[in-house]
Amino acid sequence: MRSDNTWKYQILEYQKAGSLLKDNPNSKVLAYVAVTLEDSIRLDDIRIINGSKGTFLGFPTRVRKNGLRKNIAYPISREARAAITYAVMAKYKEEDIAKESVS
């Protein structure tokens, strides 16, 4: 961690879920993204999910043999979660607006 306790969040990849989930138009997943922290740690397969209480990020999980899901990587502080969510959602909205202006 940096000595001033700040992190920068940079969106590396951004894939619209429409092209990834064409076979399932009822999916709540809007997009998949990858985030890089401090040019050192990369988080793949973060999902932007349209839930019943609004849009939120779903961090990577894996399914165990017993069928239960286990978190792989996730922010452990509210501040980190808020910063990642803000960066991802800003990029998502920016690309959504750009797509609408082209159409």
Side-chain angles (χ1 to χ4, degrees):
M1 185 177 293
R2 296 167 55 129
S3 59
D4 60 1
N5 289 331
T6 61
W7 287 85
K8 65 178 180 179
Y9 301 91
Q10 173 188 10
I11 305 299
L12 263 191
E13 286 183 13
Y14 188 79
Q15 298 175 322
K16 289 281 185 174
S19 61
L20 298 173
L21 298 174
K22 277 187 175 175
D23 296 338
N24 188 1
N26 297 323
S27 175
K28 293 183 178 188
V29 177
L30 301 174
Y32 289 94
V33 297
V35 174
T36 299
L37 308 176
E38 287 289 316
D39 295 325
S40 301
I41 299 171
R42 179 178 162 128
L43 303 175
D44 288 323
D45 297 328
I46 296 174
R47 300 170 318 277
I48 300 176
I49 301 171
N50 186 18
S52 61
K53 294 183 180 180
T55 305
F56 65 95
L57 297 186
F59 287 85
T61 60
R62 66 180 168 94
V63 180
R64 293 181 171 181
K65 289 180 181 179
N66 63 4
L68 297 177
R69 292 193 171 272
K70 174 69 176 164
N71 292 325
I72 296 172
Y74 54 93
I76 58 172
S77 73
R78 288 183 184 174
E79 295 81 10
R81 181 177 293 273
I84 293 170
T85 299
Y86 177 80
V88 168
M89 294 309 295
K91 182 69 172 176
Y92 177 74
K93 289 176 183 175
E94 175 186 311
E95 289 197 4
D96 209 35
I97 290 170
K99 178 185 172 190
E100 288 178 6
S101 66
V102 171
S103 299

XYZ file of all heavy atoms in Angstrom:
822
model
N 0.846 -1.175 0.000
C 0.000 0.000 0.000
C 0.890 1.236 0.000
O 1.961 1.239 0.571
C -0.933 -0.003 1.202
C -1.908 1.150 1.177
S -3.083 1.153 2.532
C -4.026 -0.283 2.160
N 0.409 2.275 -0.616
C 1.157 3.517 -0.661
C 1.222 4.140 0.726
O 0.353 3.939 1.550
C 0.484 4.481 -1.631
C 0.508 3.976 -3.049
C -0.409 4.772 -3.927
N -0.097 6.187 -3.871
C 0.086 6.940 -4.937
N 0.012 6.401 -6.126
N 0.335 8.217 -4.838
N 2.249 4.922 0.961
C 2.435 5.513 2.283
C 1.326 6.504 2.638
O 1.030 6.708 3.801
C 3.794 6.209 2.356
O 3.865 7.216 1.374
N 0.689 7.110 1.632
C -0.386 8.061 1.929
C -1.764 7.385 1.968
O -2.783 8.046 2.032
C -0.384 9.215 0.926
C -0.591 8.733 -0.503
O -0.754 7.523 -0.719
O -0.583 9.595 -1.402
N -1.774 6.045 1.959
C -3.001 5.252 2.053
C -4.005 5.524 0.934
O -5.201 5.394 1.124
C -3.694 5.455 3.409
C -2.919 4.796 4.513
O -2.233 3.803 4.300
N -3.015 5.351 5.707
N -3.532 5.945 -0.238
C -4.433 6.132 -1.371
C -4.105 5.112 -2.446
O -2.976 4.660 -2.562
C -4.297 7.546 -1.977
O -2.962 7.732 -2.438
C -4.647 8.621 -0.973
N -5.108 4.745 -3.196
C -4.955 3.812 -4.309
C -5.502 4.475 -5.555
O -6.429 5.264 -5.486
C -5.763 2.544 -4.055
C -5.175 1.655 -3.026
C -5.355 1.744 -1.687
C -4.313 0.553 -3.247
N -4.664 0.751 -1.050
C -4.022 -0.001 -1.992
C -3.773 -0.033 -4.375
C -3.202 -1.097 -1.830
C -2.968 -1.133 -4.222
C -2.692 -1.646 -2.958
N -4.943 4.134 -6.683
C -5.563 4.590 -7.926
C -6.183 3.369 -8.586
O -5.651 2.268 -8.509
C -4.562 5.272 -8.852
C -3.476 4.384 -9.384
C -2.578 5.156 -10.314
C -1.480 4.228 -10.829
N -0.586 4.889 -11.740
N -7.312 3.545 -9.205
C -8.029 2.462 -9.844
C -8.117 2.764 -11.331
O -8.590 3.808 -11.722
C -9.430 2.315 -9.239
C -9.362 2.053 -7.760
C -9.389 3.085 -6.841
C -9.208 0.758 -7.290
C -9.291 2.831 -5.479
C -9.104 0.501 -5.936
C -9.156 1.537 -5.048
O -9.060 1.290 -3.715
N -7.652 1.862 -12.144
C -7.625 2.065 -13.577
C -8.371 0.912 -14.242
O -8.098 -0.251 -13.960
C -6.181 2.099 -14.063
C -6.032 2.135 -15.553
C -4.590 1.969 -15.976
O -3.729 1.651 -15.174
N -4.335 2.176 -17.232
N -9.295 1.242 -15.109
C -10.009 0.216 -15.852
C -9.118 -0.250 -16.994
O -8.681 0.533 -17.813
C -11.329 0.758 -16.436
C -12.187 1.373 -15.348
C -12.073 -0.322 -17.194
C -12.607 0.438 -14.267
N -8.817 -1.547 -17.028
C -7.969 -2.098 -18.082
C -8.775 -2.601 -19.258
O -8.541 -2.248 -20.391
C -7.173 -3.287 -17.537
C -5.777 -3.052 -17.068
C -5.101 -4.380 -16.828
C -4.971 -2.223 -18.010
N -9.705 -3.477 -18.988
C -10.522 -4.056 -20.039
C -11.971 -3.806 -19.716
O -12.355 -3.719 -18.567
C -10.319 -5.568 -20.116
C -9.036 -5.987 -20.717
C -8.951 -7.496 -20.813
O -9.977 -8.178 -20.644
O -7.849 -7.973 -21.051
N -12.742 -3.741 -20.775
C -14.159 -3.506 -20.569
C -14.903 -4.240 -21.667
O -14.725 -3.948 -22.838
C -14.425 -2.008 -20.628
C -15.811 -1.662 -20.238
C -16.163 -1.615 -18.907
C -16.772 -1.409 -21.200
C -17.444 -1.312 -18.531
C -18.056 -1.096 -20.828
C -18.383 -1.045 -19.495
O -19.646 -0.749 -19.116
N -15.684 -5.215 -21.317
C -16.419 -5.994 -22.295
C -17.904 -5.897 -21.999
O -18.335 -6.212 -20.892
C -16.002 -7.465 -22.242
C -14.553 -7.673 -22.566
C -14.164 -9.127 -22.373
O -14.622 -9.782 -21.460
N -13.300 -9.589 -23.248
N -18.665 -5.471 -22.976
C -20.119 -5.426 -22.813
C -20.660 -6.839 -22.743
O -20.273 -7.694 -23.522
C -20.765 -4.699 -23.998
C -20.516 -3.218 -24.002
C -21.435 -2.542 -23.044
C -21.248 -1.045 -23.162
N -22.175 -0.306 -22.392
N -21.552 -7.077 -21.826
C -22.094 -8.421 -21.661
C -23.042 -8.804 -22.785
O -23.284 -9.965 -23.014
C -22.808 -8.544 -20.326
N -23.572 -7.825 -23.500
C -24.486 -8.143 -24.593
C -23.862 -9.103 -25.587
O -24.507 -10.037 -26.045
N -22.602 -8.916 -25.892
C -21.951 -9.804 -26.844
C -21.541 -11.117 -26.175
O -21.390 -12.126 -26.841
C -20.715 -9.128 -27.443
O -19.796 -8.831 -26.424
N -21.370 -11.101 -24.863
C -20.962 -12.309 -24.155
C -22.145 -13.178 -23.746
O -22.003 -14.370 -23.557
C -20.175 -11.927 -22.899
C -18.878 -11.164 -23.125
C -18.303 -10.713 -21.790
C -17.875 -12.023 -23.865
N -23.321 -12.580 -23.598
C -24.476 -13.312 -23.084
C -25.655 -13.280 -24.054
O -26.800 -13.251 -23.636
C -24.896 -12.710 -21.739
C -23.864 -12.782 -20.626
C -24.351 -12.019 -19.406
C -23.567 -14.214 -20.256
N -25.391 -13.283 -25.345
C -26.472 -13.204 -26.320
C -27.499 -14.311 -26.151
O -28.663 -14.125 -26.410
C -25.907 -13.268 -27.745
C -25.411 -11.968 -28.260
C -25.030 -12.090 -29.709
C -24.646 -10.745 -30.251
N -24.162 -10.811 -31.611
N -27.057 -15.483 -25.737
C -27.963 -16.612 -25.596
C -28.888 -16.478 -24.393
O -29.827 -17.248 -24.258
C -27.168 -17.919 -25.482
C -26.382 -18.215 -26.743
O -26.755 -17.681 -27.809
O -25.407 -18.963 -26.660
N -28.623 -15.521 -23.514
C -29.435 -15.374 -22.317
C -29.806 -13.906 -22.110
O -29.210 -13.219 -21.279
C -28.692 -15.921 -21.095
C -29.578 -15.957 -19.864
O -30.751 -15.599 -19.919
N -29.026 -16.397 -18.757
N -30.800 -13.405 -22.836
C -31.172 -11.989 -22.710
C -31.776 -11.654 -21.350
O -31.885 -10.495 -20.996
C -32.194 -11.792 -23.832
C -32.733 -13.150 -24.106
C -31.619 -14.108 -23.805
N -32.162 -12.665 -20.567
C -32.748 -12.429 -19.247
C -31.699 -12.344 -18.148
O -32.033 -12.222 -16.983
C -33.751 -13.531 -18.915
C -34.913 -13.541 -19.887
O -35.372 -12.482 -20.327
N -35.370 -14.719 -20.252
N -30.424 -12.432 -18.510
C -29.360 -12.384 -17.512
C -29.318 -11.027 -16.834
O -29.557 -9.994 -17.461
C -28.005 -12.664 -18.170
O -26.978 -12.500 -17.221
N -29.010 -11.028 -15.553
C -28.876 -9.781 -14.804
C -27.484 -9.176 -14.953
O -27.243 -8.066 -14.514
C -29.191 -10.020 -13.331
C -30.644 -10.379 -13.091
C -30.934 -10.532 -11.622
C -32.403 -10.834 -11.434
N -32.791 -10.801 -10.022
N -26.552 -9.917 -15.561
C -25.191 -9.406 -15.759
C -25.200 -8.444 -16.943
O -25.557 -8.807 -18.059
C -24.186 -10.551 -16.009
C -22.802 -9.980 -16.276
C -24.154 -11.505 -14.829
N -24.819 -7.190 -16.677
C -24.790 -6.171 -17.719
C -23.451 -6.136 -18.446
O -23.396 -5.811 -19.627
C -25.071 -4.792 -17.106
C -26.407 -4.645 -16.379
C -26.480 -3.283 -15.702
C -27.563 -4.857 -17.339
N -22.363 -6.431 -17.735
C -21.032 -6.374 -18.338
C -20.024 -7.072 -17.439
O -20.275 -7.281 -16.254
C -20.605 -4.923 -18.544
N -18.883 -7.428 -18.035
C -17.724 -7.952 -17.303
C -16.601 -6.936 -17.452
O -16.436 -6.361 -18.523
C -17.250 -9.281 -17.888
C -18.182 -10.421 -17.633
C -19.146 -10.772 -18.562
C -18.120 -11.145 -16.459
C -20.017 -11.822 -18.340
C -18.977 -12.199 -16.226
C -19.924 -12.523 -17.166
O -20.784 -13.564 -16.930
N -15.856 -6.712 -16.387
C -14.740 -5.772 -16.445
C -13.520 -6.345 -15.743
O -13.620 -7.291 -14.960
C -15.096 -4.406 -15.799
C -16.221 -3.727 -16.542
C -15.463 -4.558 -14.347
N -12.368 -5.763 -16.047
C -11.125 -6.066 -15.344
C -10.577 -4.748 -14.804
O -10.683 -3.720 -15.455
C -10.116 -6.706 -16.282
N -10.021 -4.780 -13.615
C -9.502 -3.589 -12.953
C -8.060 -3.854 -12.532
O -7.739 -4.943 -12.070
C -10.355 -3.242 -11.700
C -9.749 -2.093 -10.928
C -11.781 -2.941 -12.091
N -7.206 -2.851 -12.714
C -5.824 -2.939 -12.246
C -5.619 -1.954 -11.105
O -6.007 -0.791 -11.210
C -4.831 -2.620 -13.384
O -5.015 -3.582 -14.414
C -3.395 -2.685 -12.895
N -5.011 -2.420 -10.020
C -4.728 -1.581 -8.861
C -3.241 -1.294 -8.793
O -2.438 -2.229 -8.782
C -5.170 -2.289 -7.575
C -6.607 -2.806 -7.546
C -6.854 -3.550 -6.251
C -7.579 -1.677 -7.722
N -2.899 -0.014 -8.754
C -1.502 0.405 -8.604
C -0.570 -0.213 -9.639
O 0.589 -0.464 -9.355
C -0.979 0.048 -7.203
C -1.502 0.906 -6.107
C -0.948 2.306 -6.148
O 0.260 2.488 -6.357
O -1.741 3.233 -5.980
N -1.076 -0.511 -10.817
C -0.275 -1.162 -11.854
C 0.385 -2.442 -11.345
O 1.426 -2.858 -11.838
C 0.799 -0.208 -12.401
C 0.188 0.978 -13.120
O -0.861 0.791 -13.775
O 0.746 2.078 -13.026
N -0.221 -3.086 -10.349
C 0.383 -4.263 -9.718
C -0.542 -5.460 -9.610
O -0.097 -6.594 -9.711
C 0.864 -3.924 -8.303
O 1.804 -2.893 -8.338
N -1.816 -5.221 -9.350
C -2.759 -6.310 -9.125
C -3.905 -6.152 -10.116
O -4.469 -5.074 -10.261
C -3.320 -6.286 -7.690
C -2.191 -6.458 -6.688
C -4.388 -7.362 -7.504
C -2.613 -6.242 -5.256
N -4.246 -7.247 -10.778
C -5.345 -7.214 -11.746
C -6.472 -8.113 -11.251
O -6.246 -9.258 -10.854
C -4.861 -7.692 -13.101
C -5.953 -7.706 -14.139
C -5.384 -8.143 -15.455
N -6.449 -8.559 -16.328
C -6.595 -8.096 -17.555
N -5.738 -7.221 -18.037
N -7.570 -8.524 -18.297
N -7.682 -7.579 -11.282
C -8.883 -8.333 -10.931
C -9.701 -8.534 -12.196
O -10.163 -7.571 -12.802
C -9.721 -7.576 -9.905
C -9.034 -7.206 -8.595
C -9.960 -6.356 -7.738
C -8.612 -8.452 -7.848
N -9.871 -9.778 -12.611
C -10.666 -10.107 -13.793
C -12.052 -10.590 -13.380
O -12.285 -10.957 -12.234
C -9.998 -11.232 -14.599
C -8.752 -10.761 -15.316
O -8.734 -9.622 -15.800
O -7.799 -11.556 -15.394
N -12.931 -10.614 -14.331
C -14.278 -11.176 -14.164
C -15.117 -10.499 -13.091
O -15.917 -11.145 -12.405
C -14.216 -12.689 -13.892
C -13.608 -13.446 -15.055
O -13.799 -13.005 -16.199
O -12.937 -14.456 -14.816
N -14.958 -9.200 -12.955
C -15.870 -8.434 -12.103
C -17.132 -8.219 -12.937
O -17.061 -7.840 -14.101
C -15.253 -7.091 -11.678
C -14.017 -7.337 -10.813
C -16.281 -6.238 -10.937
C -13.246 -6.079 -10.470
N -18.280 -8.500 -12.343
C -19.542 -8.379 -13.066
C -20.289 -7.120 -12.623
O -20.357 -6.817 -11.442
C -20.424 -9.607 -12.800
C -19.792 -10.898 -13.236
C -20.545 -12.136 -12.759
N -21.043 -12.106 -11.394
C -20.311 -12.399 -10.309
N -19.041 -12.714 -10.414
N -20.844 -12.374 -9.113
N -20.872 -6.424 -13.596
C -21.826 -5.358 -13.289
C -23.190 -6.030 -13.353
O -23.577 -6.570 -14.387
C -21.737 -4.195 -14.289
C -20.341 -3.571 -14.265
C -22.805 -3.145 -13.966
C -20.127 -2.480 -15.292
N -23.895 -6.022 -12.222
C -25.139 -6.766 -12.094
C -26.307 -5.817 -11.857
O -26.214 -4.899 -11.042
C -25.045 -7.784 -10.932
C -23.889 -8.756 -11.204
C -26.365 -8.518 -10.736
C -23.569 -9.666 -10.045
N -27.399 -6.065 -12.558
C -28.626 -5.303 -12.371
C -29.489 -6.059 -11.372
O -30.196 -6.992 -11.733
C -29.343 -5.130 -13.712
C -30.533 -4.222 -13.610
O -30.660 -3.465 -12.659
N -31.413 -4.296 -14.582
N -29.403 -5.668 -10.104
C -30.137 -6.359 -9.040
C -31.452 -5.685 -8.713
O -31.773 -4.620 -9.236
N -32.216 -6.294 -7.833
C -33.520 -5.752 -7.459
C -33.417 -4.425 -6.703
O -34.345 -3.634 -6.710
C -34.287 -6.773 -6.613
O -33.564 -7.060 -5.427
N -32.258 -4.181 -6.068
C -32.063 -2.923 -5.335
C -31.139 -1.967 -6.076
O -30.607 -1.032 -5.498
C -31.495 -3.214 -3.945
C -32.452 -3.968 -3.057
C -31.884 -4.166 -1.676
C -32.848 -4.928 -0.793
N -32.309 -5.133 0.552
N -30.892 -2.228 -7.354
C -30.036 -1.348 -8.153
C -28.843 -2.093 -8.722
O -28.686 -3.300 -8.535
N -27.999 -1.343 -9.387
C -26.819 -1.917 -10.029
C -25.679 -2.016 -9.022
O -25.466 -1.102 -8.226
C -26.396 -1.033 -11.214
O -27.524 -0.887 -12.084
C -25.274 -1.641 -12.008
N -24.945 -3.138 -9.062
C -23.821 -3.322 -8.154
C -22.760 -4.179 -8.823
O -22.997 -4.764 -9.886
C -24.279 -3.948 -6.825
C -24.808 -5.351 -6.965
C -23.973 -6.444 -6.754
C -26.136 -5.587 -7.307
C -24.459 -7.747 -6.880
C -26.629 -6.875 -7.428
C -25.781 -7.953 -7.218
N -21.587 -4.255 -8.196
C -20.500 -5.073 -8.717
C -20.477 -6.421 -8.012
O -20.616 -6.498 -6.796
C -19.143 -4.391 -8.501
C -18.925 -3.058 -9.198
C -17.494 -2.596 -8.987
C -19.248 -3.132 -10.663
N -20.275 -7.466 -8.783
C -20.076 -8.808 -8.254
C -18.628 -9.194 -8.492
O -18.173 -9.208 -9.628
N -17.912 -9.467 -7.439
C -16.494 -9.800 -7.567
C -16.326 -11.296 -7.850
O -17.230 -12.082 -7.612
C -15.739 -9.338 -6.320
C -15.578 -7.844 -6.289
C -16.571 -7.034 -5.793
C -14.440 -7.257 -6.811
C -16.444 -5.657 -5.804
C -14.299 -5.886 -6.826
C -15.302 -5.083 -6.323
N -15.168 -11.698 -8.366
C -14.965 -13.081 -8.809
C -15.202 -14.112 -7.704
O -14.806 -13.914 -6.563
C -13.500 -13.121 -9.243
C -13.073 -11.712 -9.402
C -13.964 -10.893 -8.529
N -15.864 -15.191 -8.103
C -16.099 -16.324 -7.202
C -15.815 -17.612 -7.963
O -15.683 -17.611 -9.184
C -17.563 -16.372 -6.714
O -18.426 -16.505 -7.835
C -17.935 -15.144 -5.914
N -15.719 -18.691 -7.212
C -15.636 -20.006 -7.845
C -16.590 -20.922 -7.089
O -16.900 -20.701 -5.914
C -14.218 -20.564 -7.840
C -13.664 -20.893 -6.485
C -12.239 -21.448 -6.599
N -11.609 -21.505 -5.319
C -11.590 -22.575 -4.533
N -12.142 -23.690 -4.941
N -11.005 -22.550 -3.371
N -17.054 -21.933 -7.787
C -17.987 -22.883 -7.186
C -17.194 -24.075 -6.664
O -16.400 -24.674 -7.390
C -19.046 -23.341 -8.206
C -20.005 -24.334 -7.564
C -19.804 -22.149 -8.773
N -17.406 -24.385 -5.400
C -16.739 -25.539 -4.787
C -17.445 -26.831 -5.180
O -18.553 -26.812 -5.723
C -16.747 -25.393 -3.272
C -15.892 -24.259 -2.779
C -15.943 -24.223 -1.281
N -14.967 -23.279 -0.771
C -14.777 -23.066 0.505
N -15.482 -23.725 1.411
N -13.880 -22.198 0.895
N -16.827 -27.946 -4.865
C -17.413 -29.250 -5.186
C -18.776 -29.452 -4.537
O -19.637 -30.130 -5.077
C -16.474 -30.374 -4.767
C -15.237 -30.463 -5.627
C -14.348 -31.594 -5.181
C -13.094 -31.643 -6.036
N -12.189 -32.720 -5.633
N -18.977 -28.825 -3.377
C -20.256 -28.977 -2.672
C -21.331 -28.016 -3.200
O -22.433 -27.965 -2.677
C -20.076 -28.797 -1.166
C -19.601 -27.413 -0.793
O -19.469 -26.527 -1.636
N -19.319 -27.222 0.482
N -20.992 -27.229 -4.246
C -21.952 -26.319 -4.860
C -21.973 -24.922 -4.273
O -22.616 -24.031 -4.816
N -21.284 -24.706 -3.160
C -21.241 -23.375 -2.547
C -20.233 -22.496 -3.274
O -19.230 -22.972 -3.791
C -20.868 -23.479 -1.064
C -21.851 -24.238 -0.187
C -21.316 -24.338 1.237
C -23.205 -23.545 -0.200
N -20.507 -21.204 -3.289
C -19.599 -20.248 -3.932
C -18.587 -19.726 -2.923
O -18.914 -19.490 -1.769
C -20.365 -19.070 -4.513
C -21.226 -19.459 -5.687
C -21.716 -18.231 -6.417
N -22.353 -18.590 -7.639
C -21.735 -18.747 -8.799
N -20.435 -18.555 -8.870
N -22.386 -19.081 -9.887
N -17.367 -19.529 -3.385
C -16.283 -18.992 -2.555
C -15.733 -17.741 -3.230
O -15.425 -17.753 -4.415
C -15.174 -20.058 -2.415
C -13.940 -19.582 -1.713
C -14.201 -19.331 -0.250
C -12.899 -18.937 0.437
N -13.088 -18.334 1.698
N -15.642 -16.652 -2.474
C -15.051 -15.429 -3.010
C -13.581 -15.654 -3.300
O -12.864 -16.254 -2.508
C -15.194 -14.273 -2.022
C -16.623 -13.843 -1.861
O -17.400 -13.877 -2.802
N -16.978 -13.422 -0.666
N -13.127 -15.152 -4.450
C -11.722 -15.270 -4.824
C -10.975 -13.986 -4.486
O -9.929 -14.018 -3.868
C -11.576 -15.583 -6.324
C -12.186 -16.941 -6.627
C -10.116 -15.520 -6.758
C -12.266 -17.262 -8.095
N -11.528 -12.866 -4.915
C -10.908 -11.560 -4.645
C -12.021 -10.541 -4.448
O -13.017 -10.554 -5.175
C -10.019 -11.155 -5.813
N -11.832 -9.673 -3.463
C -12.844 -8.665 -3.172
C -12.226 -7.590 -2.291
O -11.273 -7.842 -1.556
C -14.056 -9.291 -2.481
C -13.712 -10.078 -1.246
C -13.740 -9.484 0.010
C -13.317 -11.407 -1.338
C -13.397 -10.207 1.143
C -12.973 -12.133 -0.206
C -13.022 -11.522 1.021
O -12.675 -12.241 2.144
N -12.761 -6.364 -2.329
C -12.244 -5.309 -1.454
C -12.652 -5.586 -0.003
O -13.759 -6.051 0.247
C -12.910 -4.044 -1.984
C -14.022 -4.489 -2.841
C -13.780 -5.896 -3.240
N -11.747 -5.296 0.918
C -12.068 -5.553 2.320
C -12.434 -4.284 3.083
O -12.817 -4.352 4.234
C -10.916 -6.288 3.048
C -9.617 -5.500 2.969
C -10.744 -7.677 2.472
C -8.515 -6.087 3.817
N -12.332 -3.132 2.415
C -12.760 -1.894 3.075
C -13.852 -1.220 2.243
O -13.922 -1.394 1.023
C -11.571 -0.928 3.249
O -11.198 -0.366 2.005
N -14.693 -0.474 2.915
C -15.759 0.271 2.225
C -15.171 1.269 1.237
O -15.719 1.487 0.160
C -16.621 1.008 3.239
C -17.509 0.108 4.031
C -18.380 0.906 4.957
N -19.172 -0.004 5.774
C -19.941 0.386 6.752
N -20.025 1.672 7.051
N -20.638 -0.487 7.442
N -14.060 1.882 1.629
C -13.436 2.886 0.773
C -12.941 2.276 -0.534
O -13.121 2.839 -1.605
C -12.278 3.579 1.501
C -12.705 4.403 2.704
C -12.922 3.565 3.966
O -12.566 2.370 3.994
O -13.463 4.126 4.942
N -12.306 1.113 -0.438
C -11.805 0.445 -1.647
C -12.971 0.010 -2.525
O -12.940 0.196 -3.748
C -10.937 -0.756 -1.273
N -14.010 -0.562 -1.921
C -15.184 -0.981 -2.703
C -15.822 0.230 -3.392
O -16.181 0.168 -4.567
C -16.210 -1.688 -1.831
C -17.433 -2.158 -2.628
C -18.432 -2.925 -1.763
N -17.890 -4.187 -1.320
C -17.953 -5.317 -2.011
N -18.501 -5.324 -3.205
N -17.447 -6.432 -1.520
N -15.950 1.336 -2.666
C -16.562 2.536 -3.244
C -15.727 3.085 -4.398
O -16.271 3.479 -5.432
C -16.739 3.602 -2.162
N -14.407 3.112 -4.242
C -13.537 3.640 -5.297
C -13.585 2.760 -6.548
O -13.661 3.257 -7.672
C -12.104 3.760 -4.783
N -13.562 1.446 -6.367
C -13.629 0.534 -7.512
C -14.995 0.655 -8.185
O -15.083 0.748 -9.413
C -13.356 -0.923 -7.081
C -11.901 -1.065 -6.619
C -13.644 -1.888 -8.222
C -11.598 -2.386 -5.945
N -16.054 0.680 -7.387
C -17.401 0.801 -7.941
C -17.553 2.095 -8.731
O -18.084 2.104 -9.843
C -18.459 0.728 -6.825
O -18.351 -0.543 -6.182
C -19.860 0.903 -7.368
N -17.054 3.190 -8.168
C -17.155 4.483 -8.850
C -16.418 4.451 -10.194
O -16.953 4.872 -11.217
C -16.599 5.605 -7.968
C -16.629 6.938 -8.660
C -17.814 7.675 -8.714
C -15.502 7.448 -9.292
C -17.862 8.892 -9.380
C -15.547 8.659 -9.951
C -16.727 9.379 -9.988
O -16.766 10.578 -10.651
N -15.198 3.929 -10.211
C -14.395 3.886 -11.438
C -15.054 3.005 -12.495
O -15.145 3.377 -13.670
C -12.985 3.377 -11.130
N -15.531 1.848 -12.094
C -16.157 0.913 -13.039
C -17.462 1.492 -13.585
O -17.708 1.481 -14.794
C -16.394 -0.461 -12.370
C -17.293 -1.341 -13.229
C -15.071 -1.153 -12.107
N -18.314 2.007 -12.698
C -19.602 2.525 -13.151
C -19.449 3.771 -14.013
O -20.212 3.967 -14.964
C -20.515 2.799 -11.952
C -20.908 1.530 -11.196
S -21.570 0.204 -12.242
C -23.066 0.950 -12.840
N -18.463 4.605 -13.726
C -18.212 5.784 -14.561
C -17.849 5.353 -15.978
O -18.347 5.904 -16.964
C -17.110 6.647 -13.955
N -16.990 4.351 -16.099
C -16.586 3.836 -17.413
C -17.779 3.181 -18.112
O -17.990 3.377 -19.316
C -15.444 2.836 -17.249
C -14.930 2.292 -18.540
C -14.197 3.337 -19.342
C -13.529 2.700 -20.555
N -12.890 3.668 -21.405
N -18.562 2.424 -17.387
C -19.737 1.765 -17.958
C -20.711 2.800 -18.518
O -21.177 2.686 -19.658
C -20.413 0.909 -16.888
C -21.681 0.246 -17.364
C -21.628 -0.847 -18.225
C -22.923 0.698 -16.943
C -22.785 -1.464 -18.668
C -24.083 0.083 -17.375
C -24.013 -0.984 -18.238
O -25.165 -1.584 -18.673
N -21.006 3.835 -17.737
C -21.940 4.878 -18.181
C -21.370 5.660 -19.356
O -22.086 6.006 -20.287
C -22.281 5.805 -17.013
C -23.156 5.126 -15.986
C -23.405 6.004 -14.785
C -24.217 5.242 -13.749
N -24.391 5.998 -12.519
N -20.070 5.930 -19.316
C -19.405 6.647 -20.411
C -19.540 5.877 -21.721
O -19.880 6.442 -22.759
C -17.925 6.829 -20.064
C -17.079 7.438 -21.138
C -15.610 7.419 -20.735
O -15.304 7.848 -19.607
O -14.791 6.965 -21.552
N -19.296 4.586 -21.687
C -19.398 3.775 -22.898
C -20.844 3.602 -23.336
O -21.131 3.534 -24.524
C -18.721 2.423 -22.700
C -17.226 2.549 -22.641
C -16.516 1.228 -22.858
O -17.197 0.213 -23.130
O -15.299 1.218 -22.761
N -21.760 3.547 -22.390
C -23.168 3.416 -22.718
C -23.658 4.678 -23.429
O -24.382 4.599 -24.412
C -23.968 3.163 -21.441
C -25.231 2.360 -21.699
O -25.208 1.480 -22.585
O -26.230 2.607 -21.005
N -23.231 5.849 -22.956
C -23.607 7.117 -23.576
C -22.974 7.212 -24.976
O -23.631 7.629 -25.925
C -23.179 8.309 -22.691
C -24.055 8.341 -21.431
C -23.269 9.620 -23.458
C -23.578 9.312 -20.373
N -21.720 6.801 -25.096
C -21.048 6.827 -26.399
C -21.764 5.916 -27.392
O -21.931 6.258 -28.565
C -19.591 6.411 -26.247
N -22.216 4.772 -26.940
C -22.925 3.825 -27.799
C -24.236 4.432 -28.287
O -24.601 4.315 -29.444
C -23.198 2.525 -27.046
C -23.965 1.507 -27.845
C -24.303 0.293 -27.014
C -25.248 -0.626 -27.771
N -25.767 -1.677 -26.925
N -24.956 5.102 -27.381
C -26.234 5.717 -27.743
C -26.047 6.837 -28.752
O -26.863 7.014 -29.644
C -26.951 6.237 -26.495
C -27.509 5.149 -25.619
C -28.161 5.679 -24.363
O -28.284 6.914 -24.234
O -28.535 4.861 -23.508
N -24.964 7.614 -28.635
C -24.747 8.730 -29.552
C -24.355 8.257 -30.938
O -24.574 8.935 -31.931
C -23.699 9.701 -29.002
O -22.439 9.064 -28.943
N -23.788 7.062 -31.040
C -23.403 6.485 -32.337
C -24.640 5.901 -33.028
O -24.744 5.925 -34.239
C -22.315 5.405 -32.182
C -22.063 4.664 -33.475
C -21.033 6.028 -31.664
N -25.561 5.352 -32.242
C -26.743 4.682 -32.815
C -27.683 5.637 -33.472
O -27.818 6.738 -33.312
C -27.491 3.930 -31.719
O -26.664 2.950 -31.163
